[in-house]
Amino acid sequence: ERLNLLAQAKSTVQLAQFTEGDRVHFTTGDGITKYALVVRLNKKTASLLTDDGQNWKVSPQLLRKASPA
């Protein structure tokens, strides 16, 4: 239970770096860099809308802030 609490606290701190409407980028599992807009901040992930219209849920430690489009 304590480990779960610590993991959730770490995730919350990482998510606090972002707000809805932020431009971010991340790298997919196959090495493609995607640029996206933060649509919603969930408990453990950020919901994103990529520039090509896809919806993604991404862990905050994989996200980096991008310059505005």
Side-chain angles (χ1 to χ4, degrees):
E1 190 175 314
R2 178 168 162 69
L3 292 176
N4 287 337
L5 183 61
L6 290 173
Q8 185 176 358
K10 182 178 179 182
S11 180
T12 301
V13 167
Q14 291 171 333
L15 276 172
Q17 300 174 35
F18 304 102
T19 59
E20 291 179 7
D22 280 352
R23 292 273 307 154
V24 296
H25 65 92
F26 63 99
T27 304
T28 63
D30 54 357
I32 299 171
T33 299
K34 298 265 189 181
Y35 287 85
L37 189 68
V38 176
V39 177
R40 182 173 179 212
L41 296 173
N42 305 308
K43 208 172 205 181
K44 295 182 182 179
T45 62
S47 293
L48 309 174
L49 178 62
T50 62
D51 291 347
D52 58 0
Q54 296 177 335
N55 291 309
W56 285 71
K57 287 187 180 176
V58 180
S59 177
Q61 58 257 35
L62 301 176
L63 297 177
R64 302 288 176 257
K65 287 200 176 193
S67 58

